[in-house]
Amino acid sequence: MKKVLILYNKVWPYRIPIFNLLTNDYDLTVSYSIGADFNEKQDFKVKKLPGKFISKFFIHNDSLDNYCKNFDVVVGYGDISWLSLMRLLFLKNRNYKIILWGIGLRASYKNNYGESTFWDRVRFYLMKKADAVLFYSDDPIKTYLSNGFVREKLHVANNTVLVEKVDDSVTKDSLIFIGTLYKQKRIYELLNSYFEAKKVNTKLPHLNIIGQGDEYDNIKLWIKDNKLEDDITLLGKIFDENKLSYYFSKSLACISPGQAGLSVLKSMGYGVPFITRKNAITGGEIFNIEDNVSGILYEKDEDLKQIILDISENTSKYLEMGSYAKNYYDLNRRPQNMAKGIADAIEYVSNI
């Protein structure tokens, strides 16, 4: 059985089901370097490899090469600011293969997805030295091919999350927002659109907001000032997937104006269409949305008000979108699909 190391920043809870699936075929260790000690239950081995940040660059405390020599394949966190990992790409006669895994393009709260930068040249230079590159979606492939990469070296493990069973016993009568409450996610665009739609139709679906963050107290005050306590519920953080399943099962749509991340896949897995701006912050997850089929991609502030009104007046349309989204997830974006993408990259580098 091949010994595989996934060299990551943190052991994110949403990744555990994917990593557990990989233990069926590999002797898997997942390392992490940031945050508190990891003590959750899992099927794979866990190792903390501490280090330090110097400005935005991360360096491991101990020799990363000495640790990686214990493995056949290293699937590394695809951030070029991780200097210890990037250094491994230049070592001659290393006895392990390296796969760099990540978004593949620039993406952040401050930059649009795929925005060109000087660092692209550095990224492509380093990625060419890896044995394979693994993306969260297939969108970066065309950019990498145009920059001289060989197609066989480029692999995809489409990003996703595990969901619980949809609760068919509850009535779909609400809207949902889920995520950390930052201004960059345009949460006030959602609130103001809801407020304006309420002036036109007083019987809008209830809005549930799940999450914590810098704007939590301000949003709470906003709801009170606008006398919407009976229409909008600020639920705070919810990590219990059974509780999340309940709120998603009740939802006609998930609305996140400014970010289309893993909540896209969670919504689709629960049979809920996802509504976001066309230029929302994304790591590639937005490309799962087929406009007006499994969700809606809108352009202007005023569009969202009309969409909320449309949901209240044409419920069956959004139920149908949700059914399509659920079918898409079940066929293409289950954890097994993501695990297979990772495994395909591991097998590729093992045979070159």
Side-chain angles (χ1 to χ4, degrees), residues 132-173:
V133 184
L134 182 61
F135 302 120
Y136 292 147
S137 74
D138 61 8
D139 183 74
I141 289 178
K142 57 182 179 291
T143 300
Y144 276 67
L145 290 176
S146 67
N147 282 276
F149 282 77
V150 177
R151 180 62 184 88
E152 290 76 14
K153 190 174 181 175
L154 307 177
H155 295 259
V156 178
N158 285 292
N159 219 357
T160 195
V161 291
L162 179 69
V163 300
E164 296 293 333
K165 188 177 183 298
V166 176
D167 187 350
D168 295 322
S169 67
V170 300
T171 302
K172 284 187 172 290
D173 57 4

Side-chain angles (χ1 to χ4, degrees), residues 304-323:
L304 185 53
K305 170 189 169 183
Q306 295 304 320
I307 291 167
I308 292 172
L309 287 170
D310 192 42
I311 294 170
S312 66
E313 295 161 7
N314 298 291
T315 301
S316 60
K317 171 183 172 182
Y318 293 86
L319 292 174
E320 186 175 347
M321 280 189 189
S323 295

Side-chain angles (χ1 to χ4, degrees), residues 14-83:
Y14 55 82
R15 291 282 185 241
I16 292 175
I18 290 46
F19 294 159
N20 281 341
L21 288 169
L22 290 170
T23 63
N24 294 326
D25 299 303
Y26 304 105
D27 180 354
L28 180 65
T29 298
V30 178
S31 72
Y32 68 104
S33 299
I34 300 171
D37 290 346
F38 178 84
N39 295 308
E40 294 189 40
K41 184 179 180 182
Q42 78 289 320
D43 298 335
F44 49 89
K45 303 182 187 75
V46 177
K47 173 73 173 178
K48 187 167 188 179
L49 300 175
K52 57 183 176 292
F53 281 98
I54 301 174
S55 183
K56 68 176 182 178
F57 298 99
F58 186 80
I59 301 174
H60 290 84
N61 290 343
D62 299 320
S63 171
L64 193 56
D65 178 48
N66 285 343
Y67 186 67
C68 291
K69 286 176 180 177
N70 298 303
F71 300 90
D72 300 303
V73 178
V74 174
V75 183
Y77 182 50
D79 186 336
I80 61 173
S81 67
W82 277 49
L83 298 184

Side-chain angles (χ1 to χ4, degrees), residues 103-108 111-117 119-120 123 282:
I103 296 172
L105 298 172
R106 189 180 180 90
S108 72
N111 304 100
N112 293 327
Y113 174 84
E115 185 177 311
S116 296
T117 169
W119 290 103
D120 287 343
R123 180 179 296 107
T282 187

Side-chain angles (χ1 to χ4, degrees), residues 197-209:
K198 185 78 175 173
K199 294 177 183 178
V200 179
N201 184 348
T202 59
K203 296 183 178 180
L204 295 181
H206 192 87
L207 173 59
N208 291 309
I209 298 176

